[in-house]
Amino acid sequence: MSLLVGTAIGLIRLEDGARVVEGTRINHVARLEDEWWAVDGKGRIHHEGEVVAALPESAKALCIQPTPETVWVGADAARLYAVEGDLVTEDEFLNTAPGRDRWYTPWGGPPAVRSMALDADRTLYVNVHVGGLLRYDDTGLVPTVDIDSDVHQVTAHPTLRGVVYAATGWGLAQTHNGHDFTFLTEGLHANYCRAVAVIEDIALVSASTGPDTQRARIYRTSLDGGPLIPTTEGLPEWFSYNLDTHCLAVRSGSVYVGMGDTVWASVDLGESWVEAMTGLPTITCLG
């Protein structure tokens, strides 16, 4: 499966440069086994190159998570939608989630569902910015990390049950049981983390000095929680702005980083990188 690169004007396949979706900003692209799903800046849901549904006009689609039963779409105003065929319904449980009355944003606007992940046990994790991280299972929505930990992205190990990571304003959060998180910061030059990915026994995370940073790097660590080590071979020594949510991705045994107009690839679990494609429209996500 080739990497898909979301950009400000469409979706591009890395393998051959083909434009899979054209004329719209791609906010997120995600996979379920061999199939891909995406949401664009017009609130439309794409499946394998075709528009299959759309959110209400009042909603801005930010992320998507397909599952065997339902395709979930996260939106602004902390809304979550279920897509089944061309039917789109708002999830009523998120509207009454524990702690919802304390969700916020630093700039005073409404919070949003920023990212989601499905773990190996098929449990859904919903990241609200700023509202912490909620585990959505058959008991309902259960808060995990603190609301103020400022979660920017959640991801889960594809085969190890309960192994979940989150890039947060407090560092890299990890759990091996799906609910008890610890924060890893040893080795980071600063604790503000935006993007996260996991491959085999390695987690990778972007860290910087804050939202308006000029010093950002990618770090890697083993799943046993060792120190975070910067990975710069083949990459700029420092990125001058944040590597954003959904711009670190794993595909077919390789890791990819997308920033600005360039995608870098690593075939050795993030130890070293090579430029895979450049001259792209502004990259918004990878998947």
Side-chain angles (χ1 to χ4, degrees), residues 15-240:
E15 182 180 30
D16 56 7
R19 296 183 178 267
V20 181
V21 177
E22 294 190 88
T24 185
R25 175 188 173 92
I26 302 299
N27 288 339
H28 187 215
V29 57
R31 307 264 187 164
L32 180 64
E33 297 178 349
D34 293 337
E35 298 182 357
W36 65 264
W37 298 75
V39 287
D40 67 24
K42 299 176 182 178
R44 298 176 301 188
I45 295 104
H46 300 253
H47 178 221
E48 293 289 310
E50 295 194 11
V51 175
V52 295
L55 296 192
E57 289 186 5
S58 63
K60 179 181 179 181
L62 300 176
C63 58
I64 189 165
Q65 179 59 62
T67 76
E69 296 81 23
T70 304
V71 177
W72 295 99
V73 177
D76 61 344
R79 288 175 284 186
L80 183 63
Y81 293 88
V83 181
E84 297 178 1
D86 61 356
L87 181 64
V88 178
T89 55
E90 185 171 357
D91 181 70
E92 61 184 42
F93 296 105
L94 190 64
N95 292 327
T96 58
R100 186 182 176 101
D101 59 339
R102 296 188 290 120
W103 297 351
Y104 67 97
T105 57
W107 55 91
V113 176
R114 184 173 178 130
S115 71
M116 293 179 285
L118 193 69
D119 78 358
D121 203 25
R122 299 300 190 189
T123 298
L124 182 70
Y125 289 81
V126 181
N127 156 213
V128 177
H129 184 253
V130 175
L133 180 61
L134 299 112
R135 190 178 74 249
Y136 200 166
D137 57 25
D138 55 8
T139 66
L141 283 154
V142 181
T144 57
V145 300
D146 188 272
I147 287 173
D148 293 323
S149 60
D150 194 14
V151 179
H152 298 115
Q153 186 181 348
V154 60
T155 194
H157 197 283
T159 60
L160 299 178
R161 294 183 175 184
V163 177
V164 180
Y165 284 83
T168 83
W170 293 359
L172 177 62
Q174 71 162 10
T175 178
H176 285 192
N177 63 15
H179 50 84
D180 296 316
F181 281 82
T182 58
F183 287 83
L184 308 179
T185 58
E186 183 184 352
L188 296 179
H189 73 286
N191 295 346
Y192 184 84
C193 299
R194 279 271 189 96
V196 63
V198 61
I199 178 170
E200 297 184 16
D201 61 348
I202 297 293
L204 297 104
V205 65
S206 68
S208 78
T209 53
D212 300 317
T213 192
Q214 293 185 337
R215 288 174 66 84
R217 268 181 170 170
I218 300 170
Y219 293 80
R220 61 196 300 276
T221 184
S222 63
L223 297 192
D224 63 10
L228 289 133
I229 300 168
T231 171
T232 58
E233 184 179 339
L235 295 175
E237 182 71 12
W238 294 99
F239 290 104
S240 59

